[in-house]
Amino acid sequence: METRDQLTITTRDDFPLAVQVSGPPEAPALLLLQGQANSHEWWDELRSAFEPQFRTITFDYRGTGGSRGELTELSTASFAADAAEALDHLGITRAAVYGTSMGGRIAQMLALDFPDRVAALVLGCTTPGGPKSVKRPREVGQSLARLRGRDHTQYLFSLFYTPNWAVSPRYSKLLGDDTMTTVESAAHLRISAGHNAWERLPEIAAPTLIVHGDDDLMNPVENANLLHERIPDSRVLICPGGRHGFFEEFAEVVTPEIIDFLHDVT
């Protein structure tokens, strides 16, 4: 595995952001954006596939990992601005961007608010947001809100992975940063729920690949089709049987497709 450099940058409003960089310094840049209430560890089992060919960048969102401080008004747009600042600090003018779940929402805003910075866009298990998006089934939301402790973890695990996934929930990196406070977790929930890029999606000019599992109850696959309809010239890859964590469970199929796409368009 490539050596990973870890650094802390200070943002426009003096917030410390932890940034992680790996892969060849001279290679094309790839920014990975994780899901809600997760640090860069979301990518721990996945980033090694990208490191040989890309300078691979992650950062801990505010309220996760090594990025801690007072949380003010936040949004997917403000997190996209944080991403742009991380790229600035590293001297990266353009990067391919791969975002999953809430990271896909942030990736949309990065492509919209900083179009010159995004060479290509991969949107995984995400949504355009707003009233025209397809919401998760009511019983899924109710169960996530009601369950506690081990029951909550087990239910969340079942939303991410199929019964064929043999890894224990305790080893999954996709189920949340357990160092977060209640306030931090609630802030992330508001950020994700508040996203609405519907009207602006046709502005996205970056080559875009939309990837999704067709058995995703956390974020229904119909949202992939909506994104495809709204983003000009986008492509779609649907993973049969995939749930919300399809990009990890079916990484042997999905990741090469993403890498091929990035090579084709950048």
Side-chain angles (χ1 to χ4, degrees):
M1 189 175 81
E2 293 280 345
T3 301
R4 189 180 307 170
D5 293 328
Q6 308 220 28
L7 58 149
T8 299
I9 69 167
T10 303
T11 65
R12 61 206 175 277
D13 58 347
D14 296 323
F15 197 96
L17 279 189
V19 180
Q20 306 80 30
V21 187
S22 57
E26 70 282 357
L30 172 64
L31 174 66
L32 302 175
L33 296 170
Q34 63 274 8
Q36 172 190 320
N38 279 271
S39 72
H40 73 280
E41 292 184 1
W42 175 280
W43 296 105
D44 278 0
E45 304 303 318
L46 296 156
R47 73 187 294 158
S48 62
F50 298 102
E51 287 168 335
Q53 301 168 69
F54 297 96
R55 186 182 184 197
T56 306
I57 302 106
T58 53
F59 73 97
D60 292 342
Y61 300 144
R62 299 183 189 217
T64 75
S67 300
R68 307 312 260 271
E70 183 181 356
L71 300 184
T72 54
E73 288 301 311
L74 301 172
S75 64
T76 52
S78 75
F79 276 17
D82 286 345
E85 286 202 65
L87 296 178
D88 286 343
H89 187 91
L90 296 169
I92 296 170
T93 55
R94 279 169 65 81
V97 180
Y98 174 19
T100 46
S101 199
M102 188 178 85
R105 296 168 170 88
I106 296 164
Q108 293 166 42
M109 299 314 299
L110 189 60
L112 288 166
D113 290 346
F114 302 89
D116 294 341
R117 312 300 300 273
V118 179
L121 191 62
V122 181
L123 303 175
C125 53
T126 195
T127 170
K132 294 184 180 178
S133 64
V134 178
K135 308 305 180 195
R136 67 186 58 152
R138 183 184 299 271
E139 61 271 18
V140 173
Q142 290 173 338
S143 295
L144 286 170
R146 184 186 74 252
L147 295 171
R148 294 288 183 269
R150 183 177 298 178
D151 289 340
H152 183 275
T153 300
Q154 194 61 52
Y155 182 67
L156 191 61
F157 187 76
S158 74
L159 293 174
F160 273 83
Y161 304 101
T162 74
N164 295 325
W165 186 244
V167 179
S168 166
R170 73 169 63 98
Y171 297 118
S172 173
K173 299 297 181 71
L174 305 187
L175 304 184
D177 178 351
D178 61 11
T179 70
M180 295 178 76
T181 65
T182 303
V183 169
E184 289 168 335
S185 296
H188 274 241
L189 187 63
R190 289 194 301 272
I191 292 162
S192 194
H195 176 73
N196 183 1
W198 181 267
E199 294 298 333
R200 295 188 62 197
L201 286 174
E203 299 172 28
I204 291 180
T208 301
L209 174 66
I210 299 153
V211 292
H212 216 113
D214 71 0
D215 195 23
D216 187 347
L217 293 179
M218 192 87 152
N219 187 0
V221 69
E222 289 84 359
N223 287 303
N225 299 321
L226 292 175
L227 287 165
H228 178 45
E229 291 168 9
R230 299 292 290 168
I231 300 175
D233 302 318
S234 57
R235 309 181 196 178
V236 181
L237 172 66
I238 303 299
C239 179
R243 298 186 180 182
H244 201 56
F246 78 98
F247 54 93
E248 180 180 28
E249 182 170 357
F250 299 97
E252 290 184 1
V253 174
V254 175
T255 300
E257 293 275 3
I258 291 170
I259 291 173
D260 287 348
F261 167 77
L262 295 176
H263 284 318
D264 284 347
V265 300
T266 58

